[in-house]
Amino acid sequence: MDFTKRFFWLAAFSVLLFCLEAKAASFLYAINDNAAGNQIYGFSVNETSGALTALAGFPVATGFNGGGSTNLEMITIDRLNKRLYAINRGSNNISAYSINDATGGLAVLPFSPIAGIANERVIKVHPSGSPLIVGGDEIASYVISSTSATPAAGSPYSPGANVSPAGATFSRDGNYFYTGGNLGDFFAGFAVNPGSGVLSALPGSPFNSGNQTPNPTATDATGRLFVINSRQALTRVYTTAAGVPAQVAGSPFANGLTSFASDGEVHPNGNFFMLADRTGNRIGVYQISGSGADTTLTAVAGSPFATGGTSSIALAFNQTGNFLFVGNGTSRNITTFSVNTSTGELTNRVVQTANALGAAGLINGIAYINFAPAVNFDAPLDFNGDGKSDYVVTRSANATSPSTWYINYNGSGNGLSYAVQFGIGVGLNTATSDRAVPEDFDGDDKDDIAVWRPTGVGDPGKAYFFILQSSTSTVRFEQFGRQGDDPSIVRDYDGDGKSDVAVFRKGNAITTDDPCGGSAIWYYRPSATPAVNFRYTCWGAPADFPLPGDFDGDGKGDFVVQRSNGSGMAATFFLNKSGGGTEAVNWGLPTDILVPGDYDGDGKTDIAISRAVSGTRNWFILERDGGTQTYQFGSSVDAPAMGDYNGDGKTDIATWRTSATPGQVFFFVRPAETTGAADFQFQWGQQNDYPVARYNVH
């Protein structure tokens, strides 16, 4: 019988879904630069609709004066420390505020205002919160603490000959700072010492762009730098090595914005560059294709998109990138677009009424902050989207019989649970039984019931993903991988908010279709670019084990393997990060079980292992900031079943314990890094079930 005729059985089921109101909040701020007195406007952001609602108590007067001339980036937010900074150009200082994460309200910090420099035009803050850098006639750097803002040694710094800052950007890792764009053909680059705040000119800085007013406006996770020559309708793309830029082969790229380009930003998924056309009142959107020196920019269909405002100058995305906000300088309002994260198209334009942000002055910058858990933290096995891992087991009579998934919604919906037949022999670990791969493949913030099936049909043995999409209740299947591959590495590798089908292939033999010369291969199919059949990364040795996760917190899956160094010796984890760079970390023993998760809630996957010791189970967690957690929890015969069962944004220590006695099969949970939180348990399943929470345990 053709295997496709037996690939799944679906039981009829009806599920009531519950939408739980998020407790976290998102805010958008805009500065009205006015020589008669600066004001900051604040709005709450509805992450579902993009709607903006004015915050109580706003606008907030800074108490100081603006410059009254057009500038691009006169407001910035330190997202890590919840601080907002605003330039008061007419008063030559900077206002500093803390942000209330519940109300969005602003409170003046004890070191505000900060004495500034002449003709301040741009302000940026390091990803760690210090230093704070202001560009004007010179470049000032300030070391920020909770109580002070202290000029760095040597500050202010000269930008160099023929450089006049109007815009600026940090590299994603904060190691480099670029500025320019007001006058001349050159832009400057500096190495940044985050501890001291000292800026050191990069070799070759300032850099000749070849055209007037080069504004370094954005960087991406691969180290590329995007520079716009605002008066020539050109966008230049550079690769960087130790911060030093080198223009890619096809650069500059005509962007078609012949009016006056201003602020540009890279979309959170890394696939698009969006650029504000100040006097044309429109937004250009460009597909980023290729990599390294082969990078190209191509306008997407429909670009440019009219904003409906005047002097469209500043851009900000919401956290997931499904909304784009545009600050319109002279109409003093904000335009909101919906963003198609697959195509880059801007739709559903909503424009505030003219003068919504004041009857005079200029909107010279906008900034967004989200206080929800990091977008790249996804509670595993969250089938109803409430931010908690659900209790899930599968049950199969044998390796060739249909499997039933039993799901309990973990306290949401009055303990609602359901059962659905999907897959064959799920979790029974035979050569052709299905492997559970529950991930969010359709981007609706709910995990999908999904399996990967090695069929043994064909040469070298075709394999298929079968996915029950929660957004449509329809099944899709994709041929991907082959018998012997490991599908547990399914992750979002392109940063579009959807998990990509993926497999890990051990490289123990060179075959005719092996692109990596015998090393391990990570294959994935990027959902953001459906035309791409697959991509791959060569990483790992034949005997290595994969450790899936996002270890640098950029919202994209990284390539990480565990390698044995011999019996009794520490194992080494080798990390190849999507945000750039590699690491080698010694942690644990080769015989330890890999239990990936974000145990400290910082948005980064930790290197975590579990070890059976004298009848108990020990857990050893190496956090990405160098901290450690150690637990003794569970029996050595328990199955690791980690997940976020209390919905606090941190992976919990958890096991599943089977028993021949009915009613005595339990999930046991210890909340990780949570002071005073009590252990808890939940009865679910029966003997010989498979706990789906261990689908990516090695």
Side-chain angles (χ1 to χ4, degrees):
M1 181 174 69
D2 186 342
F3 83 94
T4 59
K5 295 181 180 178
R6 64 180 186 90
F7 68 94
F8 55 78
W9 289 261
L10 291 178
F13 65 96
S14 176
V15 179
L16 179 61
L17 298 180
F18 291 82
C19 297
L20 302 182
E21 181 179 0
K23 295 181 180 179
S26 304
F27 304 106
L28 183 72
Y29 300 91
I31 183 168
N32 182 318
D33 181 88
N34 192 328
N38 280 353
Q39 290 190 312
I40 299 171
Y41 288 77
F43 301 89
S44 64
V45 179
N46 184 310
E47 293 291 333
T48 301
S49 66
L52 302 179
T53 302
L55 294 174
F58 284 78
V60 172
T62 68
F64 301 97
N65 298 330
S69 59
T70 298
N71 289 282
L72 311 181
E73 301 169 307
M74 303 189 79
I75 189 171
T76 192
I77 287 178
D78 169 9
R79 291 171 174 80
L80 184 63
N81 299 293
K82 307 175 186 177
R83 296 171 183 153
L84 180 148
Y85 301 94
I87 285 176
N88 302 300
R89 179 172 175 174
S91 300
N92 293 334
N93 64 17
I94 302 106
S95 293
Y97 303 90
S98 63
I99 305 173
N100 184 301
D101 58 5
T103 68
L106 301 181
V108 177
L109 287 167
F111 52 82
S112 180
I114 305 168
I117 56 176
N119 294 317
E120 299 160 327
R121 289 184 289 268
V122 60
I123 186 167
K124 293 289 183 179
V125 64
H126 189 273
S128 68
S130 181
L132 176 73
I133 300 180
V134 178
D137 291 349
E138 299 176 288
I139 301 171
S141 177
Y142 303 89
V143 178
I144 304 296
S145 73
S146 60
T147 58
S148 65
T150 306
S155 177
Y157 306 92
S158 169
N162 301 307
V163 177
S164 180
T169 188
F170 279 96
S171 60
R172 292 293 178 93
D173 58 12
N175 289 332
Y176 307 103
F177 177 78
Y178 306 92
T179 187
N182 188 48
L183 298 170
D185 295 353
F186 290 73
F187 66 94
F190 296 87
V192 181
N193 184 318
S196 67
V198 170
L199 306 183
S200 303
L202 291 171
S205 181
F207 305 103
N208 190 346
S209 73
N211 289 101
Q212 292 182 343
T213 60
N215 175 12
T217 189
T219 58
D220 73 1
T222 69
R224 289 178 293 199
L225 172 66
F226 296 79
V227 177
I228 55 173
N229 295 103
S230 58
R231 292 183 173 90
Q232 283 75 39
L234 298 175
T235 302
R236 297 178 183 271
V237 182
Y238 299 80
T239 59
T240 56
V244 177
Q247 201 158 185
V248 304
S251 183
F253 302 96
N255 57 42
L257 304 184
T258 56
S259 302
F260 201 118
S262 52
D263 184 24
E265 300 291 341
V266 173
H267 188 271
N269 69 17
N271 295 322
F272 305 100
F273 178 67
M274 301 193 184
L275 182 57
D277 187 8
R278 188 174 94 193
T279 53
N281 306 317
R282 51 191 180 170
I283 305 299
V285 182
Y286 310 91
Q287 174 85 48
I288 304 172
S289 302
S291 60
D294 296 324
T295 299
T296 61
L297 293 181
T298 307
V300 306
S303 177
F305 302 89
T307 65
T310 56
S311 190
S312 301
I313 195 166
L315 305 179
F317 292 103
N318 73 323
Q319 178 149 307
T320 59
N322 58 328
F323 297 109
L324 173 70
F325 306 105
V326 184
N328 300 306
T330 56
S331 57
R332 291 175 292 276
N333 58 358
I334 295 172
T335 300
T336 303
F337 287 102
S338 295
V339 181
N340 184 317
T341 58
S342 296
T343 67
E345 182 185 10
L346 305 184
T347 59
N348 301 325
R349 188 185 76 185
V350 177
V351 187
Q352 291 178 331
T353 59
N355 299 324
L357 307 185
L362 298 165
I363 304 306
N364 278 346
I366 59 176
Y368 165 92
I369 187 169
N370 178 275
F371 289 106
V375 66
N376 48 330
F377 182 84
D378 174 24
L381 301 178
D382 178 12
F383 290 95
N384 62 341
D386 67 350
K388 296 181 182 180
S389 297
D390 300 316
Y391 301 104
V392 188
V393 297
T394 60
R395 190 171 302 160
S396 312
N398 53 59
T400 59
S401 68
S403 300
T404 301
W405 295 58
Y406 293 92
I407 300 175
N408 182 282
Y409 274 156
N410 185 13
S412 297
N414 298 317
L416 182 68
S417 60
Y418 73 92
V420 56
Q421 280 189 347
F422 198 85
I424 300 170
V426 175
L428 297 185
N429 200 31
T430 68
T432 57
S433 60
D434 289 352
R435 295 277 300 274
V437 285
E439 290 281 342
D440 181 12
F441 292 92
D442 53 7
D444 65 349
D445 295 325
K446 301 173 186 176
D447 284 326
D448 304 312
I449 295 174
V451 299
W452 180 79
R453 177 168 305 153
T455 67
V457 176
D459 182 17
K462 296 178 181 178
Y464 292 79
F465 281 85
F466 296 95
I467 303 164
L468 177 55
Q469 299 179 119
S470 58
S471 60
T472 61
S473 297
T474 59
V475 177
R476 92 173 197 246
F477 66 94
E478 296 187 35
Q479 181 182 336
F480 199 81
R482 66 191 188 196
Q483 196 165 16
D485 288 346
D486 181 352
S488 68
I489 66 163
V490 167
R491 282 295 181 275
D492 179 8
Y493 288 95
D494 56 11
D496 69 343
K498 301 177 183 178
S499 293
D500 305 311
V501 297
V503 295
F504 176 81
R505 184 170 300 166
K506 290 180 177 288
N508 53 4
I510 301 177
T511 62
T512 56
D513 63 347
D514 179 3
C516 294
S519 68
I521 313 171
W522 300 64
Y523 286 104
Y524 64 96
R525 178 174 291 153
S527 57
T529 49
V532 177
N533 186 42
F534 68 86
R535 289 178 176 157
Y536 68 88
T537 293
C538 305
W539 192 253
D544 291 349
F545 290 96
L547 181 63
D550 175 14
F551 294 81
D552 56 4
D554 66 350
K556 300 179 183 180
D558 300 314
F559 312 103
V560 180
V561 294
Q562 179 208 45
R563 184 171 302 167
S564 171
N565 292 314
S567 177
M569 300 182 66
T572 301
F573 290 84
F574 293 92
L575 292 76
N576 182 351
K577 296 173 289 185
S578 60
T582 60
E583 291 181 47
V585 179
N586 291 332
W587 189 249
L589 301 174
T591 53
D592 292 335
I593 295 173
L594 309 185
V595 285
D598 178 10
Y599 292 87
D600 58 356
D602 66 351
K604 301 176 184 179
T605 303
D606 302 311
I607 298 176
I609 57 175
S610 181
R611 182 183 305 163
V613 180
S614 301
T616 63
R617 184 160 294 285
N618 290 0
W619 302 69
F620 303 94
I621 300 164
L622 178 61
E623 299 170 353
R624 294 299 289 142
D625 64 1
T628 60
Q629 301 179 45
T630 302
Y631 301 90
Q632 185 179 88
F633 187 78
S635 166
S636 59
V637 298
D638 291 351
M642 58 282 182
D644 183 12
Y645 293 96
N646 60 358
D648 66 351
K650 302 175 184 177
T651 302
D652 302 317
I653 310 298
T655 65
W656 182 79
R657 185 176 302 167
T658 189
S659 172
T661 304
Q664 294 301 308
V665 178
F666 284 90
F667 283 85
F668 295 93
V669 182
R670 172 167 295 175
E673 206 181 56
T674 304
T675 303
D679 298 347
F680 56 92
Q681 62 191 49
F682 187 81
Q683 191 278 317
W684 195 247
Q686 65 184 39
Q687 189 180 31
N688 299 321
D689 285 352
Y690 170 73
V692 180
R694 65 167 303 163
Y695 74 100
N696 59 4
V697 170
H698 289 85

